[in-house]
Amino acid sequence: MLIPKDRSIIIGIVIFILLIFVPYIFSSYVVGVFTIALYFAVFVMSWDLLFGYSGEVNFGSTFQIGIGAYTAAILNINTHIPLALCIVLGAVAAILSGLILVAPALRLKGPYFGLITLVSVLLLEQFVTIFAQYTGGEIGLSVPGIISVSSKINYYMALLFCAFSAMVMLVIARSPIGLILQASAQDPIEAESLGFNITKYKVLAFGISALFSGLSGALLVFYLGTASVSLVVSIAVVLQIIISAIIGGRRTIIGPILGAFFIILLREWLQPLGQLSYVVVSIMGLIVLLFLPDGIISLFLRKN
């Protein structure tokens, strides 16, 4: 039986404290892997805010990530505006494009929302390929701007961004907004009968999710120095995000951080196996789901 979720906040604080010491323990290469994992953790938390709490099946998380990443990259290449403004405009583009294309589907019932979000990712992939002269196509774009040449600075910026994102999403999840989203997931008819505009709250959650997805996508581009379909758009990335959220512990915000690190670090450790590493990661994820259906975080949330 799970105890009150306040313990998840303590777990989050402990994770943050432990992560502070990573640059002093590991090599620059490993620190770089942790930096990527931190940005990926924001992807997963953003997905969890919408699906975990509202119950909507969202296959389109990389639509917002990709829009944010490519908008920031293209602006950085073709204009002289500051890097920070490129990142902000990337996030704004992610919110607007997501709301215009996907949010109307929230009024639909059944699997239609999930289908539209999936189609949005496929459309973005095709758009990137068709307009390769602007987007770099399948090869990707190399951006002139970078956050920093220091691995420590890059790491701590990612850590602070991840911690800030977690705090904001935890506050939202535990606010009346989060409670209404949970109620709509369990019984939308009853929630609407109580006078709540379920669609409005789902659109709000979607907008917040798009904001952090777009920001994280743009920041990741300026950390790695490149934007590509395989990095921020593809269906493979969507599946990794969903698997990470479920493995870490859905509807907890902190659990997805654990899931993100589990997937990214395990995949990196198994990299010598080549394509076989994806099979091994999938098997490991399946094992976790079989024995820990509530995710890794349930190990720390159970009564002693």
Side-chain angles (χ1 to χ4, degrees), residues 244-266:
S244 298
I246 296 173
I247 286 176
R250 194 166 53 88
R251 205 188 311 177
T252 60
I253 301 299
I254 300 300
I257 298 176
L258 297 173
F261 273 88
F262 177 86
I263 291 294
I264 296 297
L265 297 180
L266 181 62

Side-chain angles (χ1 to χ4, degrees), residues 255-288:
I257 298 176
L258 297 173
F261 273 88
F262 177 86
I263 291 294
I264 296 297
L265 297 180
L266 181 62
R267 192 182 65 188
E268 184 65 27
W269 182 55
L270 296 172
Q271 197 173 39
L273 297 178
Q275 292 297 321
L276 187 60
S277 64
Y278 289 95
V279 177
V280 177
V281 169
S282 299
I283 293 173
M284 292 293 292
L286 181 61
I287 291 172
V288 172

Side-chain angles (χ1 to χ4, degrees), residues 120-229:
S120 70
V121 174
L122 297 175
L123 286 174
L124 182 58
E125 284 191 79
Q126 291 302 312
F127 181 88
V128 171
T129 302
I130 293 170
F131 295 94
Q133 66 269 33
Y134 306 108
T135 64
E138 295 181 357
I139 298 174
L141 288 176
S142 294
V143 296
I146 57 172
I147 295 175
S148 174
V149 295
S150 168
S151 61
K152 283 188 178 180
I153 292 176
N154 283 319
Y155 175 78
Y156 284 121
M157 284 193 66
L159 178 59
L160 290 175
F161 174 65
C162 182
F164 173 75
S165 302
M167 285 191 296
V168 172
M169 283 187 264
L170 273 172
V171 169
I172 294 170
R174 290 157 186 255
S175 71
I177 296 174
L179 295 176
I180 293 170
L181 289 174
Q182 290 185 63
S184 68
Q186 295 172 5
D187 193 336
I189 297 177
E190 184 175 348
E192 288 179 348
S193 69
L194 294 174
F196 297 116
N197 187 336
I198 301 303
T199 301
K200 180 182 73 174
Y201 286 102
K202 287 185 177 181
V203 169
L204 178 60
F206 184 87
I208 296 168
S209 176
L211 168 64
F212 283 101
S213 294
L215 279 175
S216 192
L219 287 167
L220 182 61
V221 163
F222 292 121
Y223 166 63
L224 295 175
T226 183
S228 66
V229 169

Side-chain angles (χ1 to χ4, degrees), residues 56-57 98-118 199 202-203 206:
E56 295 293 350
V57 181
L99 291 177
I100 291 171
L101 183 62
V102 182
L106 287 168
R107 298 180 179 275
L108 302 176
K109 304 297 182 182
Y112 297 108
F113 176 78
L115 180 60
I116 289 181
T117 57
L118 178 61
T199 301
K202 287 185 177 181
V203 169
F206 184 87

